[in-house]
Structure formats: C-alpha cells, structure tokens
Amino acid sequence: GAVVSQHPSRVICKSGTSVKIECRSLDFQATTMFWYRQFPKQSLMLMATSNEGSKATYEQGVEKDKFLINHASLTLSTLTVTSAHPEDSSFYICSARLTSGQETQYFGPGTRLLVL
Amino acid sequence: GESVGLHLPTLSVQEGDNSIINCAYSNSASDYFIWYKQESGKGPQFIIDIRSNMDKRQGQRVTVLLNKTVKHLSLQIAATQPGDSAVYFCAENMKGTYKYIFGTGTRLKVLA
C-alpha cells in the first residue's frame, strides 16, 4: 500500500515552454502532498506544500508564479513549470501524507526534467 | 575529510560488514525522524523511522539510534549487501508542520 506515482518519468522541453508533472496517490487519499526539487549530488529541497482544495504554501525563494501547483482532488496534485529555462532542469519528486495526524510521507519515483 | 554540495560524503564498506551512517539534524523541536534510501534516478524509499521519545529502534537488518542531546541520528545496517549501495538521507519532521528537512546524504558503496 501507500504507492505514489508520477507522470511523466522524464521530459525534455524547449526553453520557454511549460511542463506539467502529475503526482498521484494510487491506493490512498492524500490530504497533503509535497513537491521537492533535487539537483545532481544534492539533497531534496522542499518547494511547496499542497493541500487539497486550497492554495499551495511555497517555501522561501520558490517563485509561486513559476511553479504552479494544483491539488484538485485527494489523489492528484500537479506541478506546472512555466516558461521553463535550462536552470529549471532538475529531478522533481512529490510525496504524499497518508492521513491527518500522520507524519510519514510516501515518495513518488521522481520526474527528470531537462530544459534545452 | 568530507565535503558537501558538489560531492556527497561516501562510505565504502566491505560486503558482509556492518555499516554506520551518521546524520546531524538541525532543529531541537523536531519530533520525528526518518531514514530514506535513494537509488540513482529513483525516488526516496522509506527504511525506518523513530520518534523523539525513543532512542533506538530496530528493523530488519537496520537499526536507528537517536541522540537528542547532540542532535545526532545514525543508521546501522547489519551484514551489508551489494543491494544496499545507494544514497542514504535522514529527514527530520518539524513538529506541528508535517514538513521534512532532509540531510545532505551519504553515498554507501559496498565492495565485493
């Protein structure tokens, strides 16, 4: 149980285009989902917290207009990288929290974004 | 010495030996700690967790030790196997926020 999927697993796009990444909890409902970014040989950095039915909360230094997050249902959150540039190339990972009151996060397999 | 940022600290261990991976966490108010394993190109995989009211927890071949006095967490892997080769991250949960702060990570290399 507690499986999280991401789609696509990897994407290559041209500079200036927008890319949407989906995060789904497959066998449970997730009130809260998280989006992380990971550069090569570095740790995971939290970008934003996504709560179903409300606006996402962004971490300091993360541009909310560039990284649009939508959490329209209890099983789906999307991250849209708008007007992507080469410096946005990274590994984007989502996680989902099982139920209210539980801290454990279950992570998706990640999406590799390459902006040319 | 070890450096972070461009280079992950690396621990090389002979197959069959025990591994100890260390982590210093930052927030004394954190109340929940987790170890994750990450293989190349994949998402983090849960290994074991521990709450702040405990100082030791054991799983299958793994043990986590928590020292709140010095804000230190360690992961012990018994009889290390080639499949254990990966990057290991500790994470701390900030009490009341459900947000994780990840440590810098350690690459474990298992030598045959």
Side-chain angles (χ1 to χ4, degrees):
Chain A
V3 178
V4 176
S5 71
Q6 283 183 240
H7 179 80
S9 58
R10 55 179 60 212
V11 55
I12 300 172
C13 69
K14 292 182 179 179
S15 187
T17 60
S18 294
V19 174
K20 181 186 282 189
I21 302 169
E22 293 185 348
C23 176
R24 292 182 185 272
S25 54
L26 297 185
D27 50 2
F28 65 99
Q29 293 185 330
T31 308
T32 307
M33 290 183 171
F34 303 87
W35 287 96
Y36 295 82
R37 181 166 52 183
Q38 185 179 31
F39 292 108
K41 291 183 168 58
Q42 294 189 26
S43 189
L44 284 77
M45 295 298 295
L46 179 65
M47 298 174 66
T49 302
S50 168
N51 289 297
E52 185 267 339
S54 63
K55 289 184 178 180
T57 304
Y58 291 81
E59 294 301 300
Q60 193 171 10
V62 178
E63 300 174 55
K64 63 175 85 173
D65 294 331
K66 181 166 183 64
F67 298 100
L68 301 179
I69 291 172
N70 184 282
H71 193 157
S73 78
L74 286 171
T75 59
L76 173 64
S77 176
T78 60
L79 169 68
T80 301
V81 183
T82 63
S83 186
H85 288 94
E87 57 266 30
D88 297 324
S89 298
S90 189
F91 194 48
Y92 291 87
I93 306 170
C94 74
S95 70
R97 191 162 64 87
L98 203 56
T99 59
S100 295
Q102 291 198 16
E103 304 97 332
T104 305
Q105 294 180 26
Y106 296 90
F107 285 80
T111 296
R112 175 76 60 193
L113 171 63
L114 177 61
V115 185
L116 302 176
Chain B
E2 298 170 340
S3 62
V4 298
L6 291 180
H7 302 282
L8 284 171
T10 299
L11 174 67
S12 296
V13 175
Q14 207 68 35
E15 181 180 355
D17 286 353
N18 297 335
S19 303
I20 300 176
I21 300 171
N22 297 304
C23 174
Y25 64 91
S26 57
N27 195 327
S28 56
S30 294
D31 60 353
Y32 176 63
F33 305 87
I34 318 95
W35 280 100
Y36 286 95
K37 173 186 180 183
Q38 187 179 30
E39 296 174 313
S40 181
K42 297 184 179 180
Q45 176 188 351
F46 174 90
I47 301 174
I48 192 168
D49 58 1
I50 188 168
R51 297 198 173 278
S52 58
N53 60 353
M54 303 172 69
D55 52 22
K56 181 179 179 179
R57 189 159 187 234
Q58 287 184 291
Q60 188 175 16
R61 269 201 319 120
V62 294
T63 300
V64 54
L65 298 177
L66 174 63
N67 185 330
K68 294 182 288 295
T69 303
V70 294
K71 292 192 287 187
H72 183 268
L73 197 65
S74 69
L75 176 70
Q76 300 177 4
I77 304 174
T80 313
Q81 302 169 357
D84 295 328
S85 292
V87 177
Y88 290 80
F89 292 98
C90 67
E92 59 182 299
N93 179 82
M94 296 172 62
K95 186 176 181 178
T97 69
Y98 300 114
K99 293 201 285 191
Y100 285 3
I101 300 173
F102 277 82
T104 52
T106 297
R107 181 177 302 281
L108 176 65
K109 284 188 176 179
V110 182
L111 308 172

